[in-house]
Amino acid sequence: MADKEKRVPENVPGPYYVDNSCISCQLCNDRAPDHFRMNENNMNSYVYKQPETDSEIRNCEEALSSCPASAIGNDG
Ligand code: SF4
């Protein structure tokens, strides 16, 4: 389970975040490319845009439940 105390610094403020257990598999970037990106040195993903619409929330929830490292959290 993701730990909000271990959020990576690149996350934008808001309920969804990536923590430092990310293994850089890029699955969330594929599942929800409008919300997750890899950081500059490809060490971890981060949330660069919080979801707003129901469809965007669904995409982020799918990324959250698919993450093999359980590194995505929803603090909302
Ligand atoms: S799916 Fe999880 S482990 Fe893979 S890049 Fe995204 S946050 Fe990191």
Side-chain angles (χ1 to χ4, degrees):
M1 188 176 157
D3 182 346
K4 65 181 180 183
E5 301 300 327
K6 295 179 179 171
R7 295 169 189 243
V8 296
E10 298 94 341
N11 292 301
V12 295
Y16 286 87
Y17 62 92
V18 175
D19 78 7
N20 64 8
S21 60
C22 171
I23 56 171
S24 311
C25 74
Q26 303 193 15
L27 193 116
C28 58
N29 311 155
D30 293 337
R31 294 282 164 90
D34 292 337
H35 304 281
F36 294 88
R37 274 186 189 156
M38 293 301 293
N39 73 352
E40 275 181 12
N41 52 14
N42 289 330
M43 293 297 285
N44 59 264
S45 285
Y46 65 98
V47 175
Y48 77 93
K49 180 182 178 298
Q50 295 289 340
E52 294 172 5
T53 67
D54 288 348
S55 152
E56 289 177 342
I57 290 169
R58 267 198 304 277
N59 289 341
C60 287
E61 283 296 321
E62 190 189 334
L64 185 157
S65 60
S66 304
C67 174
S70 299
I72 300 173
N74 175 2
D75 190 25

